[in-house]
Amino acid sequence: LFWSGSTVAATMAEWSGLHSSTSRHTMDKSITLPPDEIFRNLENAKRFAIDIGGSLTKLAYYSTVQHKVAKVRSFDHATKATSDELYEISVQEEVTARLHFIKFENAYIETCLDFVRDHLVNTDTKVIKATGGGAHKFKELIERKLGLRVDKEDEMTCLIKGCNFVLRNIPHEAFVYAKHADSEFRFQTTQPDIFPYLLVNIGSGVSIVKVESEDKFERIGGSSIGGGTFWGLGALLTKTKRFDELLQLASKGQHTSVDMLVKDIYGGSYGSLGLTGDLIASSFGKSATADKGFPKEDMAKSLLHMISNDIGQLACLYAKLHNLSRVYFGGFFIRGHPVTMHTITYSINFFTKGEVQALFLRHEGYLGAIGAFLKGAEEDNPNQYSWGENYAGSSGLMSVSPDMNPMQRARSGTFDMLEMDRLERKLVNLPLLQDASSYIPDTVDLAEDALAREYWLYCFEEALDGVVKRALASQPDMPEAAERAEKFRQKYRHKLQTLRHQPFAYGSLTVRSLLDTREHCLNEFNFPDPYSKIKQRENDMALKYYQKVVKSLEELSWEERQFALIRGVLAGNVFDWGAKAVSDVLESEPEFGFEQAKRKLEERPWLVDSYDQWFERLKGPPHKCALFFVDNSGLDIILGVMPFVRELLSRGTEVVLASNSAPALNDVTNGELQILTESIAAMDPVIQAGLREDRLTLVQSGSSSPCLDLSRLDKVLAMVVRERKTDLVIIEGMGRAIHTNYYAMLSCESLKMAVIKNSWLADRLGGKLFSVVFKYEVPAAGHDSEALTPP
């Protein structure tokens, strides 16, 4: 399920103790949490690497994961004669690549090596990539235990490669730490170009590295005053030998009893120099004249401030010297500790007057292991692919606040387990983003909105039974499905409970991340498409009405037809099985259809209503090419979107339909859309001509989410957008146009259309259930788009 660092450590301790006295067979029966549930997918493990630091071992390995995927295929004519269904659904086995990273204490190094010997080293493996100080210290032990040659990699090179990898592949990798804010972690959007940046690695000493590209970096400075200095002097002052205990002391101390402040010298602030009275004038300054001892806590706090301020000022000077605004901090000294992150942050803010932010990394503890692995896998060129964090197999960033759920974490704020899946498609930015560097997909960060967070966590938990029901219904002939469905329920519920206490566990907490986590958990237990049967049924039904809908539209005047088309798209968008208000209606009223959905829509003026501006634009020249991000299967795509597409084609506008690469809820996938479009083309000469003349193109979005991140789209889609000179982007649906992208600024005209199918959200927006958002935007200077209070 989900393990904190203490659980892993306890398991390793039990494993280690048993390993020396019992057979492997007996050992596995005795352990509460089996090692193969921590070190997952070992039977398919390939190459690996290890990073052994001063106190922690980080293991990295590559595996191939076999899991089920849902595929659709048109019936051939012979089969079609005996079937009313347009296509068949099959669940097939597919093999994908996954990276695993696991961290545990060095006390279990021999256990770790036994684990490597028993599980990871295949017959072809002759070399282990290793980095970190322990790669030198434990070289002989590794070679003796495993009989393999240790290939030591440069520690700094591995660190940089690992840092580049996480910044490039994990959108909310970097964060600013704000101790006294409502949300202590403020995650940053990754820039399209991650270079250049400054990496300040604080280990025993300090190394300051300027990184200019994937392979170009330079150590431009450093200091001998670092984490080792804090540890060493702290041990002398407090007689405390453990680094983490020393930090615990510092978190409870008052440095003002030891440090001499500006006001201690001048009786207040020193106004002419701009120094406030509370600034430290001299670290440990009061100890020279005091005739009494000081509490250990106060001395530890003073020492921490002294070291942090020195490092902070040094980092600021190098950042200014090299004109760098992105400064990342990592190393043993940081390791997710709130007290070190806070003091470093304070120092940076002071010396740069807020111009530079101290940035920390969620997976900072794994950078060396990731880099060492990448060095060993260079012939496979992992950087040619995009990778995505697998929430189902990764533990989350736990609270490091001493008063916040202390059972979860005693020491570290970084991951104990991280899994990264290789994506089928290379992901890039949408070229039409007005400013890719400032683009934020999500409308609201739930970590900073307690009311919204509580509601959506409750909402997803309430919907869990329904999702389990759908998952089971999608696999009626698999007797073990019930057991897998229950495991899914337990895992996802645990994730929700964790996020309730630790909303920052996977970066910014949003409706999108909650949906994506659910999809990851479903796939983990081999439910690749729980809504496949529903989609199939609704697609077959909607196709029967397509010609009737088109005929009724053609009978309208041009002006009436334009409004009817928009109303049709909105009515189709009502059919969203991910919205409880809709699924309840669809289950209780089987006859509920397209016309009934139209009657559900609010009358104009809509909650957000730019239709008049859109209608005036239609009187002008046609757009060159429209990119349409579609939403649901069934009535939505067939009776709502396709007639609208038909009208665009008739106007002379090329159309690119972008649909999900893989299933999510009842959203239409690219595979399904290919079959549906061919079927529609067989009865509609306009659609048929569009396909034949290559004016209607179907492209994968690269997404498998009900929401949409325009910074992670299929590279082929981006290429098509450029080649077709796209000048209109249409985004449909609550997930894609409200939960995400409501504030997305594009360099071309855009339409965002959605029906609000959640009563809580509607109420918060000042509307009601089935309120309409129709937002037409033109990227003109000073354009005043309609405002909507964030959901």
Side-chain angles (χ1 to χ4, degrees), residues 160 164 195-199 209-213 216-218:
I160 299 300
N164 294 342
F195 306 109
Y197 65 85
L198 200 68
L199 180 63
V209 184
K210 178 183 179 182
V211 184
E212 297 184 75
S213 68
K216 185 179 179 183
F217 64 89
E218 177 189 4

Side-chain angles (χ1 to χ4, degrees), residues 470-496:
R470 295 294 162 206
L472 285 169
S474 70
Q475 298 180 6
D477 302 324
M478 297 185 181
E480 84 290 353
E483 181 182 350
R484 286 187 284 113
E486 184 55 33
K487 287 180 178 179
F488 155 74
R489 183 205 305 272
Q490 291 175 9
K491 183 159 218 174
Y492 187 59
R493 178 174 285 147
H494 190 90
K495 294 286 186 187
L496 293 175

